Amino acid sequence: MRSTLDFLARVGLCLAYAYSGVSKLVDFSGATAEQAHFGLQPPALFAIATIAVQLAGSALVLFASGRWRIAGAAALAGFTAAATLIGHPFWRESGMDRFRDLNSFLEHAGLIGGFVLVALGATARSAAARARP
């Protein structure tokens, strides 16, 4: 039961990333336009990198174990931190824009915390497996 709940929690954590990666892959011109909107140059390269991190990171968090799961969680946490700083600059805004971006910023901070917990759990499981005779 615990392993099922663990997997479902990781699915919940990765769902938005997997969906976003697939939708960007299907609509690559939209993905490129999104990167250009945020001033990332060259936008196609950033779109490819985003898709790769979102899909590979999600797959590793969901289906790998040990160091590979840690790598996927770290990649998604790093990606989320960078995307949050670029996409939700609440400190430069006021009114409803500030309110919306601050809420998104805080929600993304929670996602980063979730990925840190995934990495810590994978580390603990790896250490426990090595300690068994």
Side-chain angles (χ1 to χ4, degrees):
M1 181 69 159
R2 179 182 159 95
S3 64
T4 301
L5 288 175
D6 178 68
F7 180 73
L8 291 175
R10 287 183 283 118
V11 167
L13 195 56
C14 291
L15 189 59
Y17 297 89
Y19 173 81
S20 179
V22 169
S23 68
K24 283 175 175 53
L25 194 58
V26 170
D27 180 16
F28 190 73
S29 64
T32 302
E34 179 183 38
Q35 303 304 313
H37 168 78
F38 289 110
L40 300 172
Q41 296 295 325
L45 179 63
F46 278 94
I48 290 167
T50 296
I51 293 165
V53 170
Q54 288 180 324
L55 294 179
S58 294
L60 290 172
V61 167
L62 292 173
F63 304 114
S65 61
R67 292 179 196 171
W68 289 108
R69 184 177 293 167
I70 294 165
L76 288 172
F79 167 80
T80 302
T84 301
L85 291 171
I86 292 167
H88 302 289
F90 69 90
W91 55 91
R92 295 191 315 220
E93 300 169 336
S94 62
M96 286 306 293
D97 288 336
R98 179 181 172 84
F99 175 78
R100 276 190 295 274
D101 272 344
L102 177 58
N103 280 339
S104 291
F105 188 94
L106 296 172
E107 289 169 359
H108 286 89
L111 289 168
I112 293 166
F115 287 121
V116 170
L117 289 173
V118 166
L120 290 173
T123 301
R125 281 190 281 289
S126 291
R130 284 191 304 273
R132 283 188 218 121

